[in-house]
Amino acid sequence: MGHTETIDPNKPLEYQTEKSRLNILGFWIFLGAEVALFATLFATYFVLTGRLADGPGPGELFEIKGVLIETFILLTSSFTCGIAIHEMRRGSKKGLMIWFGLTLLLGLGFLYFEIEEFIHYVHEGATIQTSAYWSSFFTLLGTHGAHVSLGIGWMIMILIQVARHGLNTTTTRKAFIISLYWHFLDVVWIFIFTGVYLMGMVM
Amino acid sequence: MKLDEFFVTGDPLIYGADVSIILSMIGVVFVLTKYKKWGWLWKEWLTTVDHKKLGIMYILSAVLMLFRGGVDALLMRAQLTMPETEFLDSTHYNEIFTTHGTIMIIFMAMPFLIGLMNVVVPLQIGARDVAYPFLNAVSFWTFFMGAMLFNISFVIGGSPGAGWTSYVPLAGNELSPGPGQNYYLLGLQVAGIGTLLTGINFLVTILKMRAPGMTLMRMPMFTWSSAITCIIIIFAFPVLTVALALMTLDRIFGTHFFTMVDGGMPMLWANLFWLWGHPEVYIVILPAFGIFSEVISTFSRKNLFGYKAMVYSMVIIAALSFVVWVHHFFTMGADASVNSFFSVTTMAISIPTGVKVFNWLFTMYKGRIKINTAMLWSLAFIPNFVIGGVTGVMLAMAAADYQYHNTYFLVAHFHYVLISGTVFACFSGLYYWYPKLFNHKLNETLGKWSFWLFMIGFNVCFFPMYFLGFAGMPRRVHTYAEGSGWFELNAVASVGGVMMGIGFVILVYNIYYSIRYEPRLTTGDPWDARNLEWATPSPVPYYNFAKIPEVRGLDEFWRMKKEGKKDLDLKKDKLEPIHMPDYSGVPVIMSTFLFISGFGLVFEWIWMGVAGAIGVVITMIMRSFDPDEGYHVEVEEIKEIEEHVRREEA
Amino acid sequence: MRIFKPLVLGSFLLVFLSGCSALPVLDPKGPVGEAQKDLIFWSIALMLFIVAVVFALFTFMVVRYRERPGYETHEPEEMEGNIWLELLWTGVPVIIVVLLAVPTVNTIYQLEEPPSSTKEKEPLVIHATSADWKWFFSYPEQDIETVNYLHIPEDRPILFKLTSADSMAALWIPRLGGQEYNMNGMRTELFLQADEPGVYNGRNANFTGEGFTEQRFKVYAQKPEEFQKWVDKTQEKAPKLTKDKYDHMLLPGHVERQTFSSTHLQYVDHAKNAEYTVNVRERLGYDPEEESSH
């Protein structure tokens, strides 16, 4: 740090200070590391596909309906999150809070259906301990789900700060960064949807 | 769990270690209390976010870990000197080589280099700190807590003993139950967080905080090497994170990634481990290359030969480092085409590395080589590293590797590259940059003694090991039969090991001696060096630069000196208030919670793991609500400080 | 630095004086080890060339340009680099890598096949199974199983089919050729051959924990007639390997040499059944936790 605190009024609020610009760039790089993390989990999943021991296979258990609901909810939440940032850029604190609130609800909804789905699998005899395949399945999806949960907690903290301090260079930067994170989780989900669910149902 | 299972019992070596740990802890507490230094320790060090202080703490910890790893090494040499020795049984021997390898790579080599990066990089690019000073402190403390977690294993619960590579199924629950292997997993996991954060932090620092005029191709070579290392860290460490997490799940939560039963796949571990592990090798060698570039150029009084080639070769090495991992297990029965591919990619790495060696040699060409301790370490690097490098090429030849693999030939090779590469670089860098931090040099006489002892001892220790490999001695055996023909070479190696040990002790003594007796410097540029870190006075003011320098080319400080320009003219230059970050106690507290969480998981006390994790989350929330606005250093104060440090120089 | 050269030369001298016979890798007794030795010597020759060039340049630079009386005031000029020199020291290593890569790739492919010198002979198949910390050698055609030693006929390729009952090991007989991993739930294959009768050391080269050091075996290479005699005698005299006996031998530990006139392959193939050992140990009441906390 020790950078000069010059405000650049020509940029959007979240980009105006040097600190904000650094933090946003750093977060992009962090997402690069997250890509490597999920790529490893996906690789593990694909390597272990078909290693079912005596347990059930994905084709028997996957239900397209629940998965489609989850996908729809999460994609919508990415959309509402985008609108929230749009509202923030318009300078509307209220807009940001409403749309972030909606995003939160959708995130919680996603988690609800995902947990529902997991409970269903466990009842059908597929737990994280059943076979290598299910270990990798639950770990990959669980890591994504844990990220979503963390994102929800994080977003609540940021909403509190926005409510307290309004829109300033700090709160807008934080809101912008959580939005990047949220979109990233959406992208990961798209890969899960195609790589895990669609391919699992085909097999 | 009973108390005698919790504490490791029954071995006089361990009791000795217990006693010495307790005594030194009492000693530290006593000294701190007597001299009323607790507040100082907290305010100046535990809460610091200053990159220079963090760098010093990194290096101190690394030296401590070098001692621990070195003791492990000497114990191994003691056991192997004579055939059929019964000094250590196989279980102890296995634990010792496991901790030796893990500590040296993860808790010695990397933190030593990251410590030097901390000290040097912001100064070299003309910045006042790193991009995220708070995160930098988090990095240090997670590394430190990870190291402590790993190290307490030998008195509490028992050490891991499945090798630093921890191949499954041996390292799995089925064959190695108990806390030992968990220490490995959790210790590395906690420390790995810090490394990843360092990678991001320094990459952004280097990309965004360079002084005006310093384009990428005007960056000092150590900064370049740090930047490329950061990129490797960012893409390699998540792989380790996942691999460790999967094995932790296997061991504690009953999953089946690497198990023998229910479809687990042990080969997957070897692939994931080396997918991280090979880039890791370059994480600890590229910064070393950077250090050698700085030192050789400075003491040859010449700029670096073939600067661009040096940069491109590092980029190529970094890229290749991700496509060679299979060479660690050519004997796993992969197709001939696979082994051929990885043979060729591995050999290809020798090309850019060779380019670098010749560029260093020609940096000296027509120079004026000043031979002091810092330069000796860098000079010794070249021939020794070439021996390690060419034997690396021999190992890369898969068909021949079937004979070298798992033998002392391999052990000799990687010690040649890691010691003459990384360790020599750490020592060279320590001698070179030490005056910047402490305003006195390290003693030259002691320095040369320690250099020659260590360097000759290193060759005496490891050169015979190539032949032990040819003689068919596998690594990791805890003893060997009389008449196996391995005695003489082992005995020679042990002599070398002792010489290295003495060299290390002299190096440590030299620090103590120099603090007390070496004359204080009157200049911030004792070596007549070339880059911006030497433009600052020594010791460096906490804000580094009162005025950020303008950069017009490579080796900017050298140019300034030639043109007779001063970096700062207090009468003429217009100074501005400097914004600095606040110190924070959050990193050390957060990392302590991580330690607690990790410790709980080691013993599979889930409640403790969860409690620690909650602590981490709470500290993170506290941090998020902390306005963290920092403070300004006013012009008057800057002037006062600069006048004070520069008065001594004038 | 001047001490390096004597050191290097001295070590090489030491080796050649003691003769390569003390170094099994460099004095192989079969075509596989022979091919690997040729490759090793070829690479050593090329590598010594590189070492010589670098050491010579290094010595020249340090001796010629070091600061010394009469050379204290020389002020070196800055040099950017030299494109031709840099092309030279990129190009020459490329050539050397090619010179190494071609025979390497050739040998890799060659070692996938039985040795060409005896390609008209049918390879003898031996299943080599490692278990903590012992070796089982099963001869399916002869219906013989040996523990911790094996007999092979000379001048005939041996096809080792490798697997492991538990931790990952590596079958290594340095005088005959390089190693290959034994892995639980996997099958790997390794061709070896002895060109002359003799007793060779074999061992597990890959760390398997507590008893790894002693996980060794002896290889008796015999003339074909004598090998056949041994086979006949064993089939006649040796007891059958019962399932119970085999299962008990799967418990971690060392066992004496043993000989049987039937193989464990009738009970289990660890390459196909990865879980067998874990289940057996559980059934026999073996508790690894108890064992490791002594």
Side-chain angles (χ1 to χ4, degrees), chain C residues 26-39:
Chain C
L26 302 183
D27 180 31
K29 303 293 182 200
V32 173
E34 202 64 45
Q36 287 165 330
K37 185 200 76 181
D38 291 346
L39 198 59

Side-chain angles (χ1 to χ4, degrees), chain B residues 189-510:
Chain B
Q189 192 68 285
V190 171
I193 300 170
T195 311
L196 179 63
L197 295 179
T198 298
I200 297 171
N201 202 345
F202 276 78
L203 186 61
V204 176
T205 304
I206 294 169
L207 287 178
K208 285 289 162 190
M209 297 180 67
R210 300 189 306 275
M214 185 182 276
T215 58
L216 285 179
M217 287 314 251
R218 286 178 184 172
M219 292 197 312
M221 198 48 68
F222 181 65
T223 300
W224 253 117
S225 72
S226 300
I228 294 168
T229 303
C230 288
I231 295 172
I232 305 182
I233 288 176
I234 289 162
F235 289 105
F237 263 77
V239 182
L240 177 71
T241 305
V242 171
L244 292 172
L246 299 186
M247 202 197 277
T248 311
L249 286 171
D250 266 9
R251 291 181 58 92
I252 301 179
F253 300 97
T255 56
H256 295 288
F257 291 100
F258 312 123
T259 54
M260 294 194 274
V261 300
D262 291 333
M265 193 185 200
M267 284 191 302
L268 179 62
W269 166 264
N271 277 279
L272 291 179
F273 181 84
W274 287 114
L275 205 48
W276 159 78
H278 200 84
E280 166 67 14
V281 173
Y282 290 89
I283 291 170
V284 294
I285 202 68
L286 288 183
F289 287 172
I291 294 169
F292 295 129
S293 300
E294 300 285 337
V295 172
I296 290 176
S297 162
T298 297
F299 294 115
S300 302
R301 294 182 74 79
K302 267 181 73 211
N303 59 340
L304 200 60
F305 193 90
Y307 174 90
K308 279 184 185 154
M310 287 299 228
V311 173
Y312 296 143
S313 59
M314 275 198 293
V315 174
I316 294 168
I317 291 172
L320 283 174
S321 76
F322 282 91
V323 290
V324 296
W325 80 94
V326 170
H327 73 215
H328 294 275
F329 42 86
F330 279 140
T331 54
M332 205 176 254
D335 280 347
S337 55
V338 174
N339 278 356
S340 299
F341 173 81
F342 284 96
S343 268
V344 174
T345 52
T346 306
M347 285 188 230
I349 289 193
S350 67
I351 297 166
T353 313
V355 167
K356 298 186 79 71
V357 169
F358 285 106
N359 277 326
W360 285 313
L361 285 174
F362 273 77
T363 301
M364 293 191 274
Y365 177 65
K366 289 195 175 172
R368 171 152 60 92
I369 304 168
K370 185 160 182 59
I371 296 181
N372 52 26
T373 311
M375 184 62 164
L376 276 173
W377 287 112
S378 288
L379 286 175
F381 151 74
I382 295 177
N384 283 302
F385 189 78
V386 165
I387 294 174
V390 295
T391 50
V393 174
M394 290 167 71
L395 277 157
M397 303 160 65
D401 177 72
Y402 304 155
Q403 284 281 34
Y404 304 133
H405 187 58
N406 273 329
T407 70
Y408 266 84
F409 189 90
L410 173 72
V411 174
H413 156 71
F414 68 69
H415 283 93
Y416 257 88
V417 283
L418 284 171
I419 294 180
S420 79
T422 307
V423 177
F424 284 15
C426 290
F427 290 164
S428 189
L430 183 67
Y431 275 89
Y432 182 59
W433 282 304
Y434 185 90
K436 184 84 292 187
L437 291 168
F438 299 108
N439 199 30
H440 60 265
K441 292 184 181 177
L442 288 170
N443 182 273
E444 278 294 317
T445 314
L446 285 171
K448 282 179 178 156
W449 271 101
S450 96
F451 164 77
W452 285 107
L453 271 168
F454 193 93
M455 198 277 294
I456 295 170
F458 158 68
N459 276 282
V460 173
C461 186
F462 291 102
F463 204 78
M465 289 188 188
Y466 285 119
F467 294 93
L468 279 173
F470 286 136
M473 181 166 169
R475 67 195 288 208
R476 294 173 172 178
V477 289
H478 81 288
T479 189
Y480 50 91
E482 246 169 286
S484 54
W486 302 337
F487 161 62
E488 291 83 358
L489 291 170
N490 269 302
V492 173
S494 295
V495 172
V498 171
M499 289 173 73
M500 292 171 81
I502 299 171
F504 172 73
V505 169
I506 296 178
L507 181 119
V508 174
Y509 173 71
N510 193 2

